[in-house]
């Protein structure tokens, strides 16, 4: 499987490392031989049809040069779209920064990959939150696969659990704590009785929150994940604008104290049931399996036959998210192998 990696930041570097080293033996068990033939970022690209060494590229980036500065395989200034169009590969792994205004640059990268007959694995929520129904249709039309396991729950297989392990059952509702930053802030406020501002600045010092934290604290990140869950596992055709969203700016230590007296706490919960999908601060019992602390994520699926199923795990992290990318690549590999079998 020849791969074009677009974006070489936290997730991109981890994908390269995981594919090159950590999982070599397990990958061999699946008779799967991935090869990164190009890496493209904002400054240009490196291309080698025989496969690129991630160690060498990381060393270049550590020294402060763009990856395209590589003397052997570098193409400074080459655009991502040119790389996707001209390099022979089966899959594009898209891991550029999220943008929920217009989904760019990922939206163009994904559609260009489809047009050139390449499958796409992405961890970028932007394009999916804005246009998931259209993108899945476009993938089908071009006869390629679109996979996005790392967009919800980081390395925790929330989407696969619902899709595969609960196959045949009917998922009636989903509720989740889907954002580690807001969960850390609310946990700090509740356990250490600090204000929202103090908890936010602690989260920023620890690197859990961005300097511009709106994406997390105003609930946009959770909303993107609700959109992806609703489309992928509940068959809805919704986008960002269809979700009622409230962030956590107005939650106070007093509100948490009051909830505590009732045996509850307040979490930012994304939920999908019969009504309009919502994201809002919600009281949940401290005894609920979904009531996780710190940066953990948790999701509960309410099913017709299997009852309530809760999955807990880390919602982010480079290597964790890279494991989701690997899962998606293996899924595509299996799907292609099955297709070949059916055709023969
Ligand atoms: N980090 C996590 O734990 C995590 C978990 C789940 C999902 N995600 C999602 O995964 C994606 C990548 O996250 P990350 O943490 O790896 O981000 P990151 O560290 O900021 O890396 C982004 C990469 O994309 C490159 N890039 C920026 N603009 C570009 C453009 N216009 N064209 C081509 N490349 C461009 C950057 O290049 P420069 O370095 O030159 O700017 C960098 O190499 C995001 O959408 C994020 O939301 C991340």
């Amino acid at each position: 499987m020849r791969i074009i990696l677009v974006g070489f930041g936290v997730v991109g570097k981890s994908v390269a490392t995981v594919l090159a080293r950590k999982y070599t033996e397990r990958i061999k068990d699946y008779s799967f031989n991935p090869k990164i033939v190009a890496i493209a970022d904002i400054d240009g690209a490196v291309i080698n049809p025989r496969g690129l060494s991630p160690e060498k590229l990381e060393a270049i980036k550590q020294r402060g040069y763009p990856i395209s500065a590589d003397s052997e395989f570098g193409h400074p200034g080459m655009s991502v779209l040119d790389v996707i169009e001209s390099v022979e590969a089966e899959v594009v792994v898209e891991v550029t920064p999220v943008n929920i205004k217009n989904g760019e640059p990922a939206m163009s990268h994904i559609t260009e990959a489809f047009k050139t007959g390449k499958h796409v694995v992405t961890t970028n929520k932007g394009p999916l939150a804005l246009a998931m129904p259209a993108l899945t249709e476009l993938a089908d039309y071009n006869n390629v696969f679109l996979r996005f396991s790392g967009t919800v729950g980081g390395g925790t297989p929330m989407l696969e659990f619902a899709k595969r392990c609960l196959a045949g059952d009917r998922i009636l509702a989903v509720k989740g704590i889907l954002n580690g930053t807001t969960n850390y802030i609310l946990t700090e406020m509740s356990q250490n009785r600090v204000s929202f501002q103090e908890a936010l600045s602690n989260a920023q010092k620890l690197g859990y929150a961005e300097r511009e934290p709106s994406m997390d604290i105003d609930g946009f990140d959770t909303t993107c994940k609700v959109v992806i869950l609703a489309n992928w596992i509940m068959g809805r055709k919704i986008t960002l604008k269809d979700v009622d969203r409230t962030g956590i700016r107005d939650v106070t230590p007093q509100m948490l104290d009051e909830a505590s007296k009732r045996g509850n706490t307040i979490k930012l919960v994304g939920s999908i049931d019969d009504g309009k999908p919502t994201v809002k601060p919600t009281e949940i019992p401290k005894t609920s399996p979904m009531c996780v602390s710190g940066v953990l994520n948790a999701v509960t699926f309410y099913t017709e036959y299997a009852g309530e199923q809760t999955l807990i795990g880390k919602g982010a992290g480079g290597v964790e998210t890279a494991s989701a990318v690997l899962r998606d690549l293996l899924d595509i590999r299996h799907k292609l192998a099955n297709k070949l079998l059916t055709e023969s």
Side-chain angles (χ1 to χ4, degrees):
M1 182 183 273
R2 293 167 299 178
I3 295 163
I4 297 172
L5 180 58
V6 181
F8 200 55
V10 175
V11 177
K13 283 182 197 165
S14 300
V15 168
T17 309
V18 163
L19 288 184
R21 286 189 252 143
K22 300 250 194 282
Y23 286 79
T24 312
E25 280 173 22
R26 272 175 70 188
I27 287 170
K28 273 187 191 143
D29 289 346
Y30 291 100
S31 8
F32 171 59
N33 183 17
K35 195 161 63 173
I36 297 179
V37 292
I39 304 181
D41 70 8
I42 200 156
D43 300 300
V46 274
I47 302 170
N48 179 7
R50 296 159 66 97
L52 290 158
S53 138
E55 291 89 354
K56 184 177 167 194
L57 299 173
E58 197 175 333
I60 291 177
K61 222 173 168 184
Q62 295 282 338
R63 285 203 297 272
Y65 301 119
I67 45 170
S68 55
D70 182 77
S71 55
E72 234 177 323
F73 306 116
H75 294 258
M78 186 169 182
S79 79
V80 175
L81 295 180
D82 281 347
V83 176
I84 294 174
E85 201 201 321
S86 62
V87 174
E88 282 189 28
E90 280 68 46
V91 184
V92 171
V93 173
E94 214 292 342
V95 287
T96 62
V98 68
N99 162 359
I100 56 165
K101 291 203 173 85
N102 58 15
E104 295 296 352
M107 190 77 92
S108 299
H109 299 161
I110 293 172
T111 48
E112 182 64 25
F114 289 168
K115 271 192 240 157
T116 54
K118 296 177 178 81
H119 310 286
V120 172
V121 173
T122 187
T123 60
N124 193 328
K125 296 167 280 281
L128 296 164
L130 294 170
M132 191 154 168
L135 283 173
T136 44
E137 254 181 52
L138 196 62
D140 288 346
Y141 178 79
N142 286 283
N143 209 12
V144 290
F145 297 111
L146 170 64
R147 290 290 179 270
F148 36 81
S149 175
T151 55
V152 184
T156 314
M158 294 180 176
L159 297 175
E160 289 81 1
F161 178 78
K163 194 85 172 172
R164 299 226 190 109
C165 303
L166 299 175
D169 207 331
R170 196 155 68 95
I171 298 174
L172 306 169
V174 182
K175 285 190 199 312
I177 295 167
L178 302 166
N179 177 271
T181 307
T182 45
N183 204 40
Y184 172 84
I185 291 171
L186 292 172
T187 306
E188 274 283 289
M189 288 174 70
S190 142
Q191 290 179 355
N192 299 328
R193 306 198 79 259
V194 296
S195 68
F196 168 74
Q197 275 309 331
E198 200 176 331
L200 170 59
S201 105
N202 289 346
Q204 284 168 324
K205 277 184 209 140
L206 289 166
Y208 295 149
E210 301 285 332
R211 203 169 290 172
E212 182 15 281
S214 174
M215 182 79 185
D216 293 318
I217 63 178
D218 292 320
F220 291 107
D221 178 76
T222 303
T223 304
C224 291
K225 291 163 178 171
V226 162
V227 169
I228 295 168
L229 280 161
N231 279 279
W232 188 237
I233 63 166
M234 293 183 78
R236 300 276 189 92
K237 290 205 182 301
I238 65 163
T239 63
L240 213 52
K241 62 180 177 2
D242 300 309
V243 181
D244 266 345
R245 173 189 52 81
T246 311
I248 63 163
R249 283 183 200 263
D250 295 334
V251 178
T252 61
Q254 292 69 32
M255 289 160 82
L256 285 154
D257 281 349
E258 287 303 316
S260 186
K261 284 181 200 152
R262 292 185 282 272
N264 297 338
T265 190
I266 299 172
K267 299 287 187 188
L268 184 66
V269 175
S271 54
I272 312 152
D273 52 26
D274 284 344
K276 196 169 180 182
T278 58
V279 171
K280 62 176 181 201
T282 307
E283 264 192 45
I284 61 169
K286 286 182 183 168
T287 51
S288 160
M290 207 176 81
C291 187
V292 289
S293 327
V295 291
L296 279 176
N297 284 198
V299 66
T300 301
F301 298 100
Y302 299 82
T303 70
E304 189 170 16
Y305 303 118
E308 288 180 25
Q309 307 282 327
T310 300
L311 209 63
I312 296 170
K314 281 192 191 171
V319 171
E320 290 82 353
T321 309
S323 80
V325 170
L326 178 60
R327 218 162 41 225
D328 285 345
L329 291 171
L330 281 168
D331 184 45
I332 291 176
R333 155 81 178 69
H334 286 308
K335 291 250 161 15
L336 293 176
N338 285 342
K339 211 168 146 195
L340 277 179
L341 274 179
T342 352
E343 282 166 7
S344 63

